C-alpha cells in the first residue's frame, strides 16, 4: 500500500476517534438523536425509513422465465429461500418506492430512498422496528446464471441458493448466506457485515472498508490462495493471517481458487471445513 493510502487510513482513524469523542461529549451534555435536524427536518424518533408504508406487494413469475437475479434492497428485513417458484411478498412498504419487475430474463428489485425531506417519520422507535418484511423464493434446484445482491441498510438472510457468478454488496446492513454456492464471487462490504457459509470456487475480488466479512467454505485450505493488502484491518485465510498498518500477504498463486483481497480498517476472515 503506498504512502497516500497510509495517510488516508491514518487520517480516517483520527477522524473516527474524534467523532466518537465529540458524540460522547454531546450525549453527556444532554444531546439526543431526537434533536438532530437532517436536511431541515428534525428527527421525531431515532430516524427515518423511506421504504416504510402500509402497502403489500405480492407477485410471481413463470418458471423458466427467470435466469438472473438483480436485487437492490435497503431499509428492510429480507428472506430469500428455496420454494415452489419465483415469488415475492413485501409487507409494510411504500408501493411508490418499492418495485419488482422482470426485464427480459432478469428479475429486478429496486428501492427508491431518495429525497430525505419526503420520508415518513418513525415516532419514538428505531427504524428497524418499522422495517418492511420481504420474503422471496426461487425454485428448488434452480441455478442462477448471475446473482447481483445489494443491501444498503437492513438485514438479509438467504438459504440454499446456487449461482454461476455472484456479486455481493453490503453498505451498512447485515447479510447472512447459508448453503450458498458460487463458482465466481465478488464481495464488497462498506461498514456492514457479511457472514457466508457454503462453497466458492474460481477467482474473486473481496473488498472490505470498515465492516466485517466472515466466510466458512467447504474445501481444503491448500486449494485456496490470495493476494491481500491491508490498511489497518485484519485478513485471515485459514491458518495464515496479516494485519496492522500496511500489511499484506500473497499465498499459493497457482491455487485453483484465488481471492484478491483489499481490506481497509475492517476484517476479512476465511475458514475452511476440510
Amino acid at each position: 500500500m503506498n504512502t497516500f493510502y497510509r495517510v488516508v487510513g491514518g487520517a480516517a482513524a483520527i477522524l473516527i476517534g474524534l467523532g466518537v469523542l465529540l458524540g460522547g461529549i454531546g450525549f453527556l451534555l444532554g444531546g439526543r438523536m431526537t434533536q438532530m435536524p437532517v436536511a431541515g427536518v428534525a428527527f421525531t424518533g431515532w430516524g427515518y425509513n423511506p421504504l416504510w408504508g402500509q402497502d403489500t406487494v405480492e407477485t410471481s413469475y413463470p418458471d423458466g422465465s427467470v435466469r438472473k437475479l438483480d436485487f437492490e434492497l435497503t431499509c428492510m428485513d429480507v428472506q430469500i429461500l428455496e420454494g415452489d417458484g419465483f415469488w415475492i411478498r413485501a409487507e409494510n412498504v411504500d408501493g411508490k418506492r418499492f418495485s419488482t419487475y422482470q426485464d427480459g430474463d432478469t428479475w429486478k428489485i429496486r428501492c427508491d430512498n431518495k429525497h430525505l425531506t419526503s420520508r415518513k417519520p418513525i415516532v419514538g422507535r428505531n427504524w428497524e422496528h418499522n422495517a418492511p418484511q420481504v420474503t422471496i423464493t426461487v425454485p428448488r434446484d434452480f441455478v442462477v446464471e448471475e446473482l447481483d445482491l445489494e443491501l444498503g441498510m437492513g438485514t438479509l438472510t438467504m438459504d440454499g441458493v446456487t449461482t454461476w457468478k455472484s456479486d455481493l454488496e453490503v453498505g451498512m446492513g447485515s447479510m447472512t448466506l447459508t448453503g450458498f454456492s458460487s463458482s465466481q464471487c465478488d464481495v464488497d462490504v462498506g461498514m456492514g457485515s457479511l457472514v457466508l457459509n457454503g462453497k466458492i470456487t474460481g477467482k474473486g475480488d473481496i473488498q472490505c472498508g470498515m465492516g466485517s466479512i466472515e466466510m466458512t467454505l467447504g474445501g481444503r485450505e491448500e486449494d485456496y490462495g490470495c493476494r491481500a493488502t491491508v490498511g489497518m484491518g485484519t485478513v485471515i485465510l485459514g491458518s495464515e493471517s496479516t494485519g496492522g498498518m500496511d500489511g499484506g500477504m500473497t499465498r499459493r498463486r497457482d491455487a485453483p481458487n484465488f481471492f484478491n483481497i483489499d481490506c481497509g480498517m475492517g476484517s476479512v476472515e476465511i475458514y475452511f471445513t476440510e
Side-chain angles (χ1 to χ4, degrees):
M1 185 174 290
N2 59 33
T3 303
F4 171 76
Y5 288 108
R6 288 198 298 270
V7 171
V8 170
I14 293 172
L15 291 173
I16 290 170
L18 181 60
V20 172
L21 176 62
L22 292 176
I25 293 173
F27 186 85
L28 292 174
L29 292 176
R32 297 295 185 269
M33 286 289 290
T34 55
Q35 299 170 323
M36 290 179 59
V38 177
V41 179
F43 278 90
T44 56
W46 281 94
Y48 288 83
N49 187 336
L51 275 301
W52 181 79
Q54 298 180 338
D55 300 323
T56 297
V57 176
E58 183 173 5
T59 190
S60 61
Y61 303 96
D63 288 352
S65 66
V66 175
R67 300 170 65 181
K68 304 173 184 177
L69 304 179
D70 182 1
F71 298 163
E72 295 181 8
L73 303 159
T74 190
C75 296
M76 53 183 55
D77 295 332
V78 184
Q79 286 186 310
I80 303 177
L81 309 166
E82 290 184 319
D84 295 329
F86 300 105
W87 173 81
I88 180 172
R89 180 180 175 87
E91 300 179 83
N92 298 324
V93 296
D94 183 341
K96 295 180 180 180
R97 293 182 175 274
F98 179 83
S99 60
T100 172
Y101 58 96
Q102 189 171 343
D103 182 5
D105 61 359
T106 304
W107 179 5
K108 295 186 177 183
I109 298 176
R110 296 292 184 267
C111 300
D112 178 11
N113 60 353
K114 299 178 181 178
H115 310 303
L116 179 62
T117 55
S118 65
R119 297 179 184 180
K120 300 177 181 179
I122 298 173
V123 181
R125 306 181 71 184
N126 292 338
W127 71 263
E128 292 93 340
H129 293 158
N130 285 273
Q133 303 296 309
V134 180
T135 302
I136 297 168
T137 67
V138 298
R140 295 176 180 85
D141 300 323
F142 170 64
V143 178
V144 189
E145 289 188 7
E146 294 181 16
L147 172 66
D148 290 320
L149 198 57
E150 178 181 339
L151 178 68
M153 297 178 67
T155 65
L156 185 149
T157 61
M158 184 170 73
D159 183 39
V161 172
T162 300
T163 176
W164 294 351
K165 180 180 179 182
S166 58
D167 191 342
L168 311 175
E169 183 175 346
V170 183
M172 297 177 64
S174 173
M175 183 181 293
T176 302
L177 312 182
T178 57
F180 178 73
S181 179
S182 179
S183 59
Q184 179 180 337
C185 182
D186 293 334
V187 176
D188 187 350
V189 174
M191 298 177 64
S193 66
L194 170 68
V195 176
L196 187 154
N197 289 272
K199 188 172 184 179
I200 296 177
T201 57
K203 301 184 184 299
D205 294 329
I206 299 176
Q207 297 187 31
C208 182
M210 297 173 60
S212 64
I213 298 172
E214 181 178 334
M215 297 183 180
T216 303
L217 305 180
R220 303 182 305 168
E221 179 178 341
E222 53 266 36
D223 291 332
Y224 288 79
C226 78
R227 179 182 180 275
T229 57
V230 184
M232 299 176 63
T234 303
V235 172
I236 298 174
L237 181 73
S239 59
E240 303 179 81
S241 64
T242 184
M245 181 68 76
D246 201 19
M249 68 176 180
T250 300
R251 298 290 184 272
R252 295 178 286 277
R253 290 180 179 270
D254 298 329
N257 311 299
F258 194 87
F259 299 120
N260 290 301
I261 303 174
D262 186 358
C263 180
M265 299 175 63
S267 64
V268 178
E269 303 178 12
I270 303 174
Y271 303 103
F272 304 95
T273 58
E274 293 184 18

